[in-house]
Amino acid sequence: MTHAAWALDARIHGIEGDVADNVRHYLSGLEAEQYGRARLESEIRRRTREAMRVYGYYEPEIEHQLDDRDPPRRVTLTIEPGPQVRIEVLDIRLDGDAARDPPFRQAVDDFPLALGDPLSHAPWDRLRNRLAALSLERGYFDWRFTDRRMEVRPFDESARLYLALDSGARYRFGQVAIRGSHIVEERLRRMAPFTPGDPYLAGDVALYNQRLGQVGWFGSVSVRPRLDVRRELALPPPRLGWWNEVDAAGEAAADATPEISVSRLTPDALTTVATLRAPERPEMPIDVVVTPADRHQFEVGVGYATDVGPRLRFGWDQPWINRYGHSLDHDLFVSQPEQQLTGTYLMPLDNPLRDQYRAQYGLRHRDTGDTRTLESSVELARRWEFDNRWVQTVFVRATFEDFTQGGEADSVLIYYPGVSWSRTRTRDPRFPTWGDRQRIAFEYSDSVWGSDADFLRMTGDTEWIRMLGDNQRFVTRLGLGAIETDDFSKVPPSLRFFTGGDRSVRGYAYESLAPRNEEGRLRGGQQLLTASAEIQRRVTGDWWGAAFVDTGDAFDDWAPDSLNTGAGLGVRWISPVGPIRFDVAHPFDDEENAWRLHFAIGPEF
C-alpha cells in the first residue's frame, strides 16, 4: 500500500526576507513520512543550519515544534540567527594572460562583496564559476585555481576568502581541418569568422557552425576544437577516491563529483615531454565534419486565402549542383486567379550567406476580371548583405507582357534596371512576438535602350510587430508607391498599383481599389498609399482576438481626395503550421457591401 508524499510546511519566526525564504526552500523537499520523528527533527535542524550558513549565519539557535499528525505536515521554527560572519580578508588574484584580459578583470570588478560585508556564499560561487567559464570560452585551456579557499571562523565572526586563477597562456586558433565536404574546402574556410592565429573564442566556433548550417549545402555540420590535442601522450585515466584528490586541468569537475580523473604518462612520453619546449602561443586546431545535403529536395504546400481561394505550391530545390555550391530551385504556384512558375539560380561568392549572383526566370498568368495578363521575365541580380542586416540588390530585368487591362489590350517588351534595399528581423517566425520588415525599391525603364515604356517606379513598405507584456501584440503596416511616366498605358499591369484584400485594406475585394476608366473597369493607379493598425490580445492559450483599422487606395494624383477605410474584428489561432487568421471587416466606403470575411493561413512575414 502506498502513501501520498507530503512536503513539510514550515512556519518561521525570528528571521525574514531571503534568509527565511532559503530555509523554506531547503525544507520544501523534505518528505516527513520517510523519517522517524527523532530523525526528522535532526534533519530539520541540519537543513535549517545549512540554509542559513550561505548567508553568513553559522551559529543560529533553533527551536522547532512539529504538529501531532503522523507523519507531521507542519513545523514551526523559532530562530535566533546569532551574529553574522563578516569578510575579514578578501584576496582575489589573476595570473597568466587572463590578468590582462578585460572580461576577467570585469568579472573581478563586478564582485559585489567587499571587506567588512556580511558573508554570502552565492556571489563567491558565481565568481568561481564565471572565471572557470571565461577560461574555457576564451581559450585558456590550461587554467587552474592555484588557491580556492573560504575560511570561516564563527567564534571570531570572520571569514577569509582566497581565490587565485592561473590561466596560463591563451590559445590561438590553429588550422581548420575539414572532412566530408563535397564543396571546395577553401570556400568553407573563408566562411570562418576567424583566421589561424587569432585569439580563441568559443563564440566564433559556434558562429562558424551556424554559418555552415545556414548555407543549405550540408545535412549535418559539426565544428569542434580539437581539445584532445594536449592529451595525445596520456594513458586512459584511472579512478581515484576523494582522499587522493589532485588538481588537474582546472577544477570545474571537482565541484560536481567527489572523484577526479588524473592522466598518467608513459616513460616514453615523459622523455618526449622533457625534450619539448611549450610554444609561447599555443594553438587549438578546429575540426569540421560535414555530410552532404540531399541533392534534390521537394516540398508541397496547400493553403487558402479569401483573396485567391485554395492555393497549391510545389517546390523543387537543389541546394548544391556543383563543387562551388551553386544552387537551383523551381517553384510552381497555382490558385484560381493566378498561376506562376519561377526558377532561381544562385552563384555564391566569397561569403555565400551575404554575397551572391542570381539568375531568375518567371512565367505568370493572371486573370482577376478587369486584369488579364500573360507575363514572362528573366533577371540578373547581384546581392549584398551588410553587417546591419540590410540587403542591397542591384538587378536588370527583361519582361514581356501580353495584357488586357480594363478592356484595353496591348503587349510590351521592357528592359529595366533597378535597385532595392530590404531588411527583415523576426523572433519566432511561426508567430513573431517581435519583428519588423522594410523594403525600398527603384526601377527605371527607357526607350533609349529599346524598351517599349518610359517610367520611373518607386515602392516602399514597412511592417512592425511588437508585444506589450505577454498577452498583447501590435501589428502596423505602411505601404507607398509611385510611377512617373508620360504614357501610363504602356506600363504593364504587373507594375501598376492596385490594393484591397486580406493583406492590404480589409473590407474590400482583392485588388478592387484603383482608378477606373469611363466604363467603370479597373485600370490601375500611378500612386499607392496603404496603412494598417491592429491590436491583438490573447484570449486563452494559442487563441487570440484582434481589432484592426485599414485604410488606403491606388490613385493618379499625388494627393488623393480620400482614402478607403475598413475596420473589424478577428480571431487568431496559432496552429502547428502557423497562424490561422479569420477577420470580419466593415468597409466604410462601399455602399454595396456591409461586411466582408477574410481568411488566411500563415504569419505576417
Side-chain angles (χ1 to χ4, degrees):
M1 181 176 180
T2 60
H3 298 274
W6 296 100
L8 194 64
D9 178 32
R11 298 193 175 183
I12 302 172
H13 304 288
I15 59 173
E16 57 186 15
D18 292 341
V19 182
D21 290 341
N22 203 45
V23 172
R24 292 189 184 94
H25 173 71
Y26 269 63
L27 297 179
S28 63
L30 190 58
E31 297 177 1
E33 72 277 3
Q34 296 183 0
Y35 302 88
R37 200 171 187 90
R39 174 72 186 281
L40 179 61
E41 292 174 348
S42 176
E43 186 68 12
I44 290 172
R45 288 193 300 270
R46 186 190 69 80
R47 293 196 182 198
T48 300
R49 290 181 182 277
E50 186 177 342
M52 297 184 65
R53 190 176 300 134
V54 299
Y55 286 95
Y57 295 101
Y58 277 76
E59 295 183 314
E61 295 181 4
I62 304 170
E63 296 182 3
H64 62 273
Q65 183 177 356
L66 293 169
D67 63 30
D68 296 331
R69 283 175 285 192
D70 187 21
R73 291 173 53 187
R74 178 178 300 164
V75 61
T76 301
L77 297 172
T78 303
I79 301 174
E80 172 58 44
Q84 191 173 16
V85 169
R86 294 185 176 272
I87 299 174
E88 181 181 70
V89 175
L90 182 59
D91 184 7
I92 303 174
R93 300 193 312 275
L94 296 175
D95 299 316
D97 287 353
R100 297 175 295 278
D101 199 345
F104 286 86
R105 299 302 321 170
Q106 188 64 46
V108 174
D109 293 342
D110 290 343
F111 183 62
L113 302 181
L115 291 176
D117 287 349
L119 175 63
S120 178
H121 290 207
W124 184 249
D125 293 337
R126 284 196 296 268
L127 176 61
R128 286 187 305 159
N129 294 337
R130 179 59 179 153
L131 293 178
L134 281 173
S135 298
L136 295 177
E137 291 170 6
R138 301 183 65 79
Y140 298 91
F141 295 108
D142 299 321
W143 73 276
R144 64 191 183 100
F145 286 122
T146 57
D147 196 359
R148 187 184 61 176
R149 288 178 291 152
M150 177 186 290
E151 297 180 357
V152 180
R153 301 181 176 184
F155 60 88
D156 194 31
E157 301 175 13
S158 67
R160 300 180 179 186
L161 307 182
Y162 303 91
L163 188 64
L165 172 73
D166 182 1
S167 68
R170 184 177 184 182
Y171 278 64
R172 304 277 173 162
F173 279 109
Q175 295 299 319
V176 176
I178 299 174
R179 289 187 296 158
S181 177
H182 55 296
I183 305 298
V184 175
E185 289 189 3
E186 186 57 32
R187 173 149 289 186
L188 305 188
R189 297 183 198 279
R190 287 198 295 263
M191 295 175 63
F194 56 83
T195 57
D198 288 347
Y200 179 90
L201 278 175
D204 284 349
V205 176
L207 179 58
Y208 191 19
N209 194 99
Q210 180 184 14
R211 287 179 177 179
L212 293 176
Q214 288 176 338
V215 292
W217 297 333
F218 308 110
S220 65
V221 176
S222 173
V223 180
R224 300 180 61 183
R226 197 181 302 165
L227 292 173
D228 60 347
V229 70
R230 296 176 294 111
R231 305 186 182 95
E232 291 177 347
L233 301 176
L235 294 174
R239 305 288 291 183
L240 298 182
W242 61 268
W243 52 88
N244 288 324
E245 283 188 0
V246 178
D247 291 341
E251 298 183 359
D255 294 335
T257 175
E259 294 186 351
I260 298 283
S261 295
V262 179
S263 299
R264 292 179 176 175
L265 301 179
T266 65
D268 291 341
L270 287 173
T271 303
T272 304
V273 171
T275 64
L276 295 177
R277 180 171 178 264
E280 295 182 359
R281 295 186 177 275
E283 291 186 346
M284 179 60 67
I286 302 298
D287 290 329
V288 177
V289 180
V290 296
T291 59
D294 293 338
R295 196 162 189 173
H296 299 276
Q297 301 176 9
F298 301 94
E299 182 180 0
V300 177
V302 179
Y304 180 89
T306 312
D307 288 345
V308 299
R311 55 191 181 189
L312 173 67
R313 176 184 172 272
F314 176 78
W316 172 25
D317 185 21
Q318 295 175 267
W320 58 276
I321 60 175
N322 57 33
R323 59 196 299 262
Y324 299 103
H326 294 188
S327 64
L328 178 63
D329 69 74
H330 307 273
D331 275 287
L332 175 64
F333 174 84
V334 179
S335 68
Q336 188 277 325
E338 182 177 339
Q339 303 83 44
Q340 181 173 295
L341 174 66
T342 60
T344 303
Y345 186 91
L346 290 180
M347 294 164 282
L349 300 177
D350 285 351
N351 189 330
L353 294 174
R354 291 191 170 190
D355 302 321
Q356 302 166 341
Y357 283 112
R358 181 181 70 197
Q360 192 170 18
Y361 75 87
L363 300 171
R364 183 171 71 155
H365 173 261
R366 187 160 61 117
D367 186 350
T368 59
D370 289 345
T371 302
R372 296 175 182 169
T373 177
L374 180 62
E375 172 191 354
S376 60
S377 64
V378 293
E379 175 185 293
L380 296 177
R382 172 72 162 87
R383 177 188 183 273
W384 299 264
E385 181 176 342
F386 305 114
D387 290 338
N388 58 10
R389 299 182 63 180
W390 279 92
V391 176
Q392 174 181 278
T393 304
V394 177
F395 59 89
V396 177
R397 185 179 300 148
T399 298
F400 174 77
E401 194 161 344
D402 186 3
F403 64 88
T404 300
Q405 181 64 56
E408 299 179 4
D410 203 348
S411 62
V412 293
L413 177 61
I414 54 177
Y415 312 94
Y416 56 103
V419 59
S420 70
W421 296 272
S422 63
R423 182 179 68 176
T424 299
R425 302 179 297 176
T426 183
R427 298 172 187 165
D428 188 5
R430 187 172 68 96
F431 186 71
T433 57
W434 182 95
D436 52 69
R437 175 181 57 84
Q438 294 85 32
R439 186 178 187 277
I440 305 170
F442 297 88
E443 299 160 314
Y444 182 71
S445 175
D446 200 306
S447 57
V448 171
W449 51 69
S451 188
D452 290 340
D454 298 310
F455 63 82
L456 172 64
R457 186 174 185 265
M458 301 159 284
T459 57
D461 60 82
T462 182
E463 186 169 2
W464 295 75
I465 297 175
R466 293 293 187 269
M467 293 284 290
L468 180 61
D470 295 329
N471 298 314
Q472 290 193 106
R473 184 172 182 260
F474 296 89
V475 182
T476 60
R477 293 190 299 269
L478 176 67
L480 301 169
I483 300 173
E484 184 63 32
T485 181
D486 292 332
D487 188 357
F488 185 66
S489 65
K490 287 294 186 180
V491 178
S494 62
L495 299 177
R496 300 182 189 185
F497 295 117
F498 304 83
T499 190
D502 297 342
R503 302 189 66 85
S504 55
V505 185
R506 285 164 287 189
Y508 301 86
Y510 176 57
E511 295 193 349
S512 64
L513 302 180
R516 298 175 181 268
N517 59 22
E518 295 178 353
E519 300 176 355
R521 295 183 176 182
L522 291 169
R523 62 178 180 83
Q526 290 186 238
Q527 281 82 39
L528 173 74
L529 172 61
T530 62
S532 174
E534 180 172 321
I535 180 173
Q536 302 172 4
R537 181 166 181 81
R538 189 192 306 271
V539 178
T540 179
D542 290 333
W543 290 89
W544 296 64
F548 58 87
V549 176
D550 300 339
T551 189
D553 204 351
F555 42 88
D556 289 330
D557 299 323
W558 283 99
D561 295 332
S562 62
L563 296 174
N564 295 277
T565 301
L569 301 174
V571 175
R572 309 285 181 266
W573 176 47
I574 310 174
S575 75
V577 297
I580 296 177
R581 306 191 301 274
F582 179 80
D583 294 322
V584 179
H586 169 66
F588 291 98
D589 303 287
D590 186 349
E591 298 179 354
E592 298 181 1
N593 298 288
W595 52 272
R596 181 175 291 272
L597 297 177
H598 295 274
F599 179 80
I601 300 175
E604 286 82 2
F605 54 85

